[in-house]
Amino acid sequence: MATAKRHASAASRVFIAFLGAVVVITALLVVLLTFQAQATERAEAEAVTLAVARTIAEMPEVAQAVTRGSDASATTELQPIAARVMDETPIDFVTIMTTGGIRLTHADPAEIGKPYLGTIEPGVQGRELTEEAVGTLGPSLRSVVPIEADGKVVALVSAGITLGSVGSGVVRQVPFVIAVAAALAAIGLLAAWFAGRFTRRIAGDLPASTVRDAVSSYESVRTLGEALRAQTHEHGNRMHTAVALMELGRTDEAIELLTETARSSQYLVDRVVARDGDPTVAALLLGKAAQATERGVEWTVDMQPAIPRTALGAVDAVSLVGNLVDNAIDAAATGPEPRWVRVGMAQASDGRIVLTFSDSGQGVAVEIRERIFEHGFSTKPAGADGRGVGLALVRAITDAAGGTLELTADPTTFRVQLPARGAQ
């Protein structure tokens, strides 16, 4: 027994889209906050090591210990000071050393008397230094400050924090990061729920494709209405002109005017409606020709004879062709002279129908060539009915039919390939 394929409603798709955005944003926020916590902890560690090293370097008893006796006697006086600082601060090691880099104090007494592992040259020259280096306790952030007596560097002090200690500080901030992420996720979920509920109030449980069809229907009526209005206006003008010519006794010119109008219209009708052609598209193009004339745009249609219909229904065909023609006319009308629009329809060797819409406008900037197909994006000022629907709808109709849509430049050309009706 055949089963009906269930389609997700528009409201469900809106909820899922919002939910996906929440997940992505939350994940990015967690990563950002984690990096921020690491950067903050590192900056604080550097500030603490430098402050402690400066404090020790300025203690009078430290300078006295390294200047009045041997290294052994200096160690006897300085090791308790270093141990006290390590106990009372977050510093992991305090190394007081000679200007030659020989340790006088160390967190591990067995390392006293051995060379310091790190950079000391700036300190010997009287400058402070903060760096990351690997010592006996592993990788660490340490600051080296010169110890001076009578304006001369007599020793150096290095205060450091291991990277493991810095990492533990980051771990302490994890609950805060989790709390912020959870709060954001909760707000996002609530927004997604409201968005889905709001969409359901408007569209009910209709599938997203049905909502898209409704928009396509509206666009079809709009663009076809504009075309018919322009065509009616143009025909009215020509009829008034013909009547005036006949009243002036210039019957031949009146007949020529009406014959030319009929000849142009018949060209499109013959090529579009012949065999399997779509008469709705023919009517649309006839109206758009009048619309182009109204706006001072030269209108050309190059159509392969007896071209078959595309796989699109009448509503989608009018919506797709109408929106692309409208865009082309708008671009040409606001661009430099000569102003023109060319529409082409042909059948490719693989049986697909190729539609091209070219114009003499100023073109589409490279940086927005993908964005113009996004719903809500438009380079035109918003009108009463809003903007940013046409090209997004054109892409949706093309994709749903299994076709392709391309934009090229010089001249600006939208190229649509669609399967012919009945093609597998």
Side-chain angles (χ1 to χ4, degrees):
M1 183 175 65
T3 58
K5 184 178 178 180
R6 182 176 178 82
H7 297 278
S9 67
S12 298
R13 290 198 176 188
V14 169
F15 176 80
I16 292 172
F18 265 81
L19 186 61
V22 169
V23 171
V24 171
I25 292 173
T26 301
L28 290 176
L29 180 65
V30 169
V31 172
L32 178 62
L33 288 177
T34 300
F35 275 112
Q36 182 63 36
Q38 290 177 337
T40 300
E41 285 295 318
R42 185 183 183 93
E44 290 180 356
E46 291 177 352
V48 169
T49 58
L50 185 57
V52 170
R54 284 174 177 171
T55 300
I56 296 173
E58 293 172 359
M59 296 172 66
E61 59 267 40
V62 172
Q64 293 170 4
V66 297
T67 57
R68 70 186 176 192
S70 63
D71 289 352
S73 64
T75 296
T76 302
E77 294 185 48
L78 297 176
Q79 183 67 7
I81 296 175
R84 186 176 71 251
V85 171
M86 288 185 286
D87 288 340
E88 296 176 354
T89 68
I91 293 296
D92 290 319
F93 65 86
V94 172
T95 300
I96 301 174
M97 70 197 86
T98 67
T99 54
I102 300 302
R103 300 183 184 115
L104 301 176
T105 68
H106 197 273
D108 180 4
E111 297 295 328
I112 295 174
K114 296 180 181 179
Y116 171 78
L117 301 178
T119 305
I120 64 171
E121 287 78 9
V124 173
Q125 296 170 6
R127 303 196 309 272
E128 297 176 344
L129 165 71
T130 299
E131 67 173 354
E132 178 180 330
V134 178
T136 58
L137 300 180
S140 64
L141 290 172
R142 73 271 300 274
S143 294
V144 178
V145 175
I147 301 172
E148 299 182 358
D150 299 327
K152 180 181 178 181
V153 176
V154 295
L156 305 172
V157 57
S158 173
I161 298 177
T162 63
L163 294 187
S165 297
V166 175
S168 65
V170 175
V171 172
R172 287 194 297 271
Q173 296 192 43
V174 168
F176 169 75
V177 173
I178 293 176
V180 172
L184 178 64
I187 294 172
L189 287 173
L190 186 62
W193 181 80
F194 273 116
R197 187 175 180 84
F198 178 76
T199 305
R200 181 165 279 109
R201 288 183 63 184
I202 296 175
D205 290 321
L206 292 175
S209 59
T210 303
V211 176
R212 197 270 298 165
D213 289 343
V215 176
S216 179
S217 298
Y218 167 78
E219 284 291 295
S220 296
V221 172
R222 179 195 62 77
T223 191
L224 190 56
E226 289 179 355
L228 294 177
R229 179 205 58 76
Q231 187 178 27
T232 301
H233 184 262
E234 182 187 17
H235 284 182
N237 286 340
R238 294 197 179 195
M239 288 300 297
H240 291 152
T241 303
V243 169
L245 287 172
M246 286 188 287
E247 289 177 348
L248 293 172
R250 302 167 69 171
T251 306
D252 291 343
E253 293 181 34
I255 293 174
E256 177 63 25
L257 176 64
L258 296 177
T259 301
E260 178 63 27
T261 300
R263 188 162 45 243
S264 299
S265 299
Q266 193 61 43
Y267 171 82
L268 285 175
V269 172
D270 289 343
R271 289 184 176 265
V272 178
V273 180
R275 295 187 184 177
D276 295 328
D278 190 343
T280 309
V281 173
L284 174 66
L285 291 177
L286 286 172
K288 292 301 180 184
Q291 203 171 335
T293 301
E294 270 190 343
R295 303 187 64 180
V297 175
E298 180 185 348
W299 173 262
T300 304
V301 176
D302 183 12
M303 208 174 280
Q304 178 180 311
I307 185 172
R309 295 190 188 189
T310 67
L312 300 179
V315 169
D316 281 347
V318 169
S319 184
L320 182 145
V321 174
N323 273 293
L324 289 175
V325 169
D326 285 344
N327 275 357
I329 293 175
D330 286 346
T334 57
E337 294 185 353
R339 300 183 177 95
W340 52 263
V341 168
R342 299 183 187 127
V343 178
M345 293 188 181
Q347 187 171 23
S349 58
D350 61 0
R352 293 166 72 85
I353 309 303
V354 181
L355 314 177
T356 56
F357 305 83
S358 304
D359 63 74
S360 60
Q362 296 179 346
V364 180
V366 175
E367 59 269 18
I368 63 171
R369 285 187 183 174
E370 283 302 316
R371 294 193 62 200
I372 62 173
F373 297 105
E374 296 176 4
H375 183 84
F377 179 83
S378 178
T379 58
K380 305 171 187 175
D385 297 327
R387 285 289 189 181
V389 175
L391 289 179
L393 182 60
V394 167
R395 169 162 279 183
I397 291 172
T398 304
D399 290 345
T404 60
L405 173 62
E406 300 174 335
L407 170 60
T408 57
D410 301 323
T412 302
T413 301
F414 288 88
R415 187 171 188 269
V416 182
Q417 291 192 67
L418 295 167
R421 178 168 295 187
Q424 300 296 324

